[in-house]
């Protein structure tokens, strides 16, 4: 029997490489115009709701933040019928009151990445999507509620700085980001958020705070050891929240994510190379 089209997609970050408890489990290998995703996508049902799960760094954590094939990942989820993507990720806190083992659902981003393709467009077709508010407000609000119900301490907004990595920041950078007003720092919310917007998917981040980066005068600077130890402690809350989110009955609030490309394609339709038009059909057919 075919698995129903999953509406909810989960991208698991550090510490969340598998998703237990799914019925009618299937592993789907998907090829995209941008190559293969990080791993096979696992689809299945949770209390009768279909969902798709993809470990961002691959099982066994083989891909660095720079190496994650984000275009393939977002494309693959879209092609399965996913409409809402929850990204689970580990972040460092840049604020005293955002403590390790808390969660944050950020509402803003600062891009400090520099080596990652961040658009599906180009090569003869140009699109400029609005990105003033980079996360879906409806999905963010549901993630926040789900985390609270899972018993987590959750911060409902904040600015997430995305750095290239893979080394952690210098102390000067950490202090700079604090001066910019940022709340947390991580390596993966971009280009995921931009590509999800271009793919007209709702996208929001469930970020697990694992450390105080390296700005804090009395706390130890971040290390893989601290990150992993704290992730193990709060991955249970993250799982509970994801279950809650996937099976919850409340309707999602309104958002405009599904129309993000309306008016965004600036290239004259007759000038779009036919091969690109065909390649991007999944995203642009409804507008051409
Ligand atoms: Zn949305």
């Amino acid at each position: 029997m075919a698995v129903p089209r999953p509406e909810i997609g989960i991208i698991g970050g550090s510490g969340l490489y598998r998703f237990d408890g799914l019925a009618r489990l299937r592993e789907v290998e998907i090829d995209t115009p941008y190559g293969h995703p990080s791993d096979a996508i696992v689809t299945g049902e949770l209390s009768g709701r279909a969902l798709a799960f993809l470990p961002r760094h691959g099982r066994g954590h083989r891909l660095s933040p720079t190496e994650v094939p984000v275009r393939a990942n977002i494309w693959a989820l879209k092609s399965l019928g996913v409409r809402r993507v929850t990204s689970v990720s580990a972040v460092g806190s840049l604020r005293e009151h955002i403590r390790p083992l808390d969660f944050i659902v950020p509402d803003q981003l600062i891009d400090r990445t520099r080596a990652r393709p961040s658009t599906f467009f180009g090569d003869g077709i140009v699109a400029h999507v609005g990105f003033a508010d980079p996360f879906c407000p409806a999905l963010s609000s549901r993630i926040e509620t789900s985390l609270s119900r899972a018993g987590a301490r959750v911060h409902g907004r904040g600015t997430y700085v995305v750095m290239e990595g893979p080394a952690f920041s210098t102390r000067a950078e950490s202090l700079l980001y604090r001066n910019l007003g940022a709340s947390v720092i991580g390596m993966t919310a971009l280009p995921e958020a931009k590509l999800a917007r271009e793919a007209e998917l709702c996208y929001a981040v469930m970020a697990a705070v694992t450390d105080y980066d390296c700005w804090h005068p009395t706390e130890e600077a971040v290390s893989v050891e601290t990150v992993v130890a704290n992730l193990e402690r709060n991955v249970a809350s993250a799982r509970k929240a994801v279950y809650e989110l996937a099976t919850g009955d409340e309707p999602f609030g309104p958002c405009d994510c599904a129309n993000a490309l309306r008016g965004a394609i600036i290239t004259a339709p007759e000038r779009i190379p036919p091969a690109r038009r065909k390649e991007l059909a999944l995203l642009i057919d409804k507008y051409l």
Side-chain angles (χ1 to χ4, degrees):
M1 208 191 303
V3 170
R5 285 161 73 81
E7 184 176 303
I8 299 249
I10 313 288
I11 300 180
S14 301
L16 191 61
Y17 308 107
R18 34 180 294 158
F19 197 87
D20 299 323
L22 292 178
R24 301 171 73 192
L25 196 95
R26 266 190 14 181
E27 283 196 14
V28 199
E29 295 280 356
I30 295 176
D31 196 18
T32 80
Y34 303 93
H36 289 287
S38 299
D39 209 320
I41 295 182
V42 173
T43 64
E45 282 182 5
L46 209 54
S47 306
R49 310 283 178 82
L51 65 81
F53 177 81
L54 174 63
R56 179 184 292 116
H57 301 282
R59 274 168 278 197
H61 205 126
R62 297 168 284 104
L63 300 164
S64 82
T66 306
E67 293 169 327
V68 174
V70 186
R71 291 191 292 188
N73 290 352
I74 297 293
W75 186 282
L77 290 171
K78 169 100 180 170
S79 72
L80 284 175
V82 166
R83 288 172 50 208
R84 298 190 172 91
V85 176
T86 297
S87 156
V88 183
S89 74
V91 296
S93 169
L94 299 168
R95 300 285 146 198
E96 186 78 50
H97 72 282
I98 303 174
R99 302 187 304 235
L101 302 182
D102 288 358
F103 280 81
I104 181 166
V105 184
D107 65 326
Q108 276 300 327
L109 283 170
I110 294 175
D111 190 356
R112 295 272 298 170
T113 67
R114 54 193 152 67
R116 307 177 186 186
S118 62
T119 178
F120 291 111
F121 295 92
D123 293 326
I125 174 168
V126 181
H128 301 285
V129 290
F131 202 53
D133 295 299
F135 301 112
C136 171
L139 180 57
S140 296
S141 148
R142 280 288 298 271
I143 293 175
E144 191 186 342
T145 311
S146 303
L147 282 164
S148 297
R149 286 187 186 153
R153 207 173 96 102
V154 52
H155 304 267
R157 54 190 307 173
T159 299
Y160 176 143
V161 179
V162 192
M163 62 176 298
E164 186 64 46
F168 294 116
S169 8
T170 66
R171 213 174 305 279
E173 286 164 345
S174 198
L175 292 166
L176 172 72
Y177 301 142
R178 270 172 60 76
N179 284 336
L180 290 177
S183 318
V184 292
I185 183 162
M187 299 181 189
T188 53
L190 285 167
E192 267 177 16
K194 278 185 189 168
L195 291 161
R197 181 62 51 87
E198 286 188 350
E200 300 190 321
L201 302 176
C202 297
Y203 176 89
V205 170
M206 175 188 293
V209 180
T210 53
D211 54 81
Y212 276 118
D213 200 38
C214 63
W215 62 271
H216 201 286
T218 56
E219 298 284 336
E220 225 173 276
V222 55
S223 66
V224 166
E225 199 184 349
T226 340
V227 170
V228 171
N230 280 341
L231 271 176
E232 275 170 13
R233 291 171 65 190
N234 63 10
V235 85
S237 312
R239 277 183 204 281
K240 252 195 241 169
V242 168
Y243 279 72
E244 163 75 34
L245 180 75
T247 58
D249 275 328
E250 301 107 288
F252 281 85
C255 69
D256 209 28
C257 308
N259 304 308
L261 275 181
R262 184 190 290 154
I265 300 168
I266 196 167
T267 309
E270 69 278 9
R271 294 282 186 172
I272 298 170
R276 284 294 279 155
R277 189 173 172 148
K278 194 170 161 209
E279 196 169 60
L280 292 174
L282 177 68
L283 307 186
I284 62 177
D285 249 11
K286 63 191 258 207
Y287 296 110
L288 297 173

